[in-house]
Amino acid sequence: MAAIEGFLVASLLLSCLASTSYGVTFTSLQKTLVVSASNQQGKVLKGGEDKIAITWSYNNSFPAGTDSAYKTVKLKLCYAPISQVDRAWRKTVDNLEKDKTCQHNIVSKPYSPSNNNFTWSVERDVPTATYFIRVYAYNSADEVVAYGQNTDAHKTTNLFQVEAISGRHASLDIASVCFSAFSVVSLFGFFFLEKRIAKSSQQK
C-alpha cells in the first residue's frame, strides 16, 4: 500500500514538473483583446525616424469578468511569417517560453479594458523585416493569460515593414567633415605662422 501511495505521489510530482517546465502555450490563450496599429499598408517604416500608433481594448463579446485576472499588458513587435522563413532564430513555437516570434518589447502598461493607446517610435536597432503588433495580458503572477494582435490568425493582414538604418547617421558625417576641414585650416594656419616667425627672426 505504501509503495502504491509513493508511486502515485511521485507520478503527481512528475506531472506537475512537466507542466511547469513546458510553460504556457499560445494555443491555450483566448484572443480577448482587440488591437490596431496605424500603419499605412505598404509603407516602409524607417528605424529611428517613423512612429506607429497602437490601440488596444477588451473585446466585450466575451462574458463579463473574463478579464478579472488581467493586471498588466505587454506590447510586442512580432515577426510575420514571411520574415521567419529560413530563420530558426525567429521560429514560432507553441510554448511561449521558447517562442521567437515576438522578440522586441515595445512597452508594458497596467491593464485597462478600454481607452488604451501608445505611440511607439521605431527604434534604430530593429532589424529590417515585416512585422505585426501583439499584446499579451498577464495576471498578478506575471503569467500570460490572454492576447490580441493587429493581424489575422494566419498573420497575413495589416502587416508593415521596417527598414533598419544602415551606415552612419548624417549628423556624424557632417561633424566628421567639419572636423576634417578645421584640421586642414589649422594646419595651414600653424604652417603660415611658423614661416612668419622664421622670416622675422632672419630679418633681425
Side-chain angles (χ1 to χ4, degrees):
M1 186 68 178
I4 295 175
E5 290 179 352
F7 175 77
L8 290 175
V9 171
S11 299
L12 181 61
L13 289 173
L14 287 173
S15 176
C16 291
L17 181 61
S19 176
T20 303
S21 62
Y22 189 71
V24 178
T25 60
F26 181 76
T27 51
S28 70
L29 302 177
Q30 286 186 306
K31 187 181 178 183
T32 61
L33 302 178
V34 178
V35 182
S36 65
S38 66
N39 57 296
Q40 298 178 4
Q41 194 75 21
K43 180 185 178 181
V44 178
L45 303 177
K46 295 186 180 297
E49 298 180 12
D50 290 319
K51 298 180 179 180
I52 185 167
I54 306 164
T55 62
W56 67 97
S57 61
Y58 176 67
N59 187 342
N60 289 316
S61 65
F62 284 88
T66 301
D67 61 340
S68 61
Y70 303 178
K71 299 302 179 184
T72 59
V73 293
K74 295 180 183 180
L75 283 62
K76 293 179 177 287
L77 182 67
C78 311
Y79 291 107
I82 192 173
S83 291
Q84 293 176 298
V85 177
D86 297 326
R87 295 175 174 88
W89 59 92
R90 299 177 180 176
K91 184 179 179 180
T92 295
V93 179
D94 193 36
N95 179 0
L96 291 180
E97 292 183 355
K98 299 179 180 180
D99 183 42
K100 302 298 182 183
T101 308
C102 305
Q103 300 181 29
H104 306 282
N105 296 320
I106 295 177
V107 71
S108 177
K109 295 276 190 179
Y111 173 74
S112 175
S114 60
N115 300 322
N116 301 293
N117 61 81
F118 182 78
T119 300
W120 180 59
S121 298
V122 182
E123 296 175 357
R124 293 169 56 86
D125 59 349
V126 172
T128 297
T130 301
Y131 296 93
F132 65 94
I133 302 294
R134 180 176 288 167
V135 179
Y136 284 117
Y138 291 76
N139 61 19
S140 58
D142 203 32
E143 298 169 331
V144 184
V145 290
Y147 82 103
Q149 57 191 30
N150 76 312
T151 186
D152 62 340
H154 300 290
K155 297 174 284 188
T156 58
T157 61
N158 300 320
L159 305 177
F160 55 93
Q161 291 179 291
V162 171
E163 183 180 283
I165 290 182
S166 59
R168 297 181 301 181
H169 196 275
S171 60
L172 293 178
D173 292 331
I174 294 172
S176 178
V177 170
C178 291
F179 182 77
S180 297
F182 176 76
S183 299
V184 172
V185 171
S186 298
L187 180 63
F188 276 106
F190 282 121
F191 178 76
F192 179 74
L193 181 61
E194 185 178 351
K195 293 284 290 184
R196 288 199 61 179
I197 293 175
K199 185 176 181 180
S200 177
S201 299
Q202 290 176 357
Q203 290 176 350
K204 290 181 181 180

